[in-house]
Structures are given as C-alpha cells and as structure tokens.
Amino acid sequence: MGVKKNDNTSSDTSFFDRVYEVAKLIPYGRVTSYGAIAKCLGAARSARMVGWAMNACGGRDDVPAHRVVNRKGILTGKHHFQGTNLMQQLLENEGVEVIDNQIQHFDKVFWDPMKEL
DNA sequence: ATTCTGACGTGGG
DNA sequence: CCCCACGCCAGAA
C-alpha cells in the first residue's frame, strides 16, 4: 500500500496544462484576460504565470493564445508570436477589431471562463 | 539551495 | 486615461 506512482506536485496536471485547458475553451471571436484565466484556476494572483504558460505553448495549435490579452485588452503578447502582427491578424480574422494592439469593444468580446462555465 | 525573470493585476495620484 | 510602485508565483540557470 502506499505506493506512490507519481509525486504529483499539487494536482494531476501542471499549472501550464490547466491554463491550456481553459484557453482551449475560449469560443471563436471572443477574448479573455490572463487574470480571468488565473482566477478560473484558483490562482488569481498568478496571472503572470498564465502568460508564462502561453509562452511554453509555442508550437501548440490547440492553444489559441491569440485570444488571451491583458486586462486592458491590449495584445501584450503579440511580440511572442511569429509575425509582428500575426496575433492581430488572427483576432481580426475572427471578427475582433484590433487597432494599434488595442482590442475595440473589449467589453463586448470579452469572455469570462468562470462566468460562462 | 539562491537569484532573476516574466505574454499581469491592483491601488494611489 | 496615464504613470509609478508593489505583490505575486512558478520555472530556469
């Protein structure tokens, strides 16, 4: 008995994987903020880690990181994408207006993972 | 073990 | 809205 197969730091999945799960739930044409995801995970104070998790997602097509912005609705992470304006292009492609890295009608396209779930 | 960083958030002025 | 400063936590060297 007491056979520990894994140490499981805190949960089955790592913090990163959890962020990906929520990010994948973001509907088309919607955006959310890092803090919103962090809160949904129960780590409201780890909003930064959410962004970091996205950084590790480099290469994962399942994680629409382009739909995640900061609380101001600014594409803070666009610099981490390939092109210079790839993130903006992706958002506009979904019907989200983006001007100068700032999402227009941010309150309308905002999607709260906690509220919707 | 320590140190630094980082795609954030919040509060005060 | 802007600017400044602090907190926050997980991962990499």
Side-chain angles (χ1 to χ4, degrees):
Chain A
M1 318 255 310
V3 178
K4 296 198 228 168
K5 301 172 133 194
N6 276 325
D7 12 340
N8 282 332
T9 21
S10 14
S11 287
D12 275 14
T13 52
S14 299
F15 188 90
F16 280 48
D17 290 330
R18 282 196 112 188
V19 177
Y20 304 143
E21 293 296 305
V22 179
K24 290 186 212 173
L25 297 172
I26 302 175
Y28 179 95
R30 292 292 169 92
V31 294
T32 190
S33 61
Y34 302 97
I37 296 174
K39 239 170 205 202
C40 186
L41 300 177
R45 295 160 173 182
S46 304
R48 294 178 128 182
M49 314 295 51
V50 177
W52 207 303
M54 294 298 179
N55 198 7
C57 94
R60 293 187 185 216
D61 297 358
D62 358 352
V63 184
H66 64 269
R67 292 189 188 139
V68 187
V69 295
N70 72 349
R71 73 168 170 117
K72 299 181 250 179
I74 299 174
L75 285 52
T76 47
K78 77 172 246 164
H79 295 285
H80 296 259
F81 280 77
Q82 291 186 359
T84 316
N85 45 350
L86 174 61
M87 188 174 185
Q88 177 169 337
Q89 296 295 318
L90 289 168
L91 289 170
E92 291 187 318
N93 183 31
E94 299 190 357
V96 179
E97 290 181 83
V98 180
I99 300 176
D100 192 31
N101 303 335
Q102 166 69 56
I103 294 179
Q104 307 302 306
H105 315 290
F106 180 54
D107 57 320
K108 299 185 183 182
V109 294
F110 181 73
W111 177 81
D112 188 338
M114 249 192 180
K115 183 178 175 187
E116 301 297 321
L117 303 179

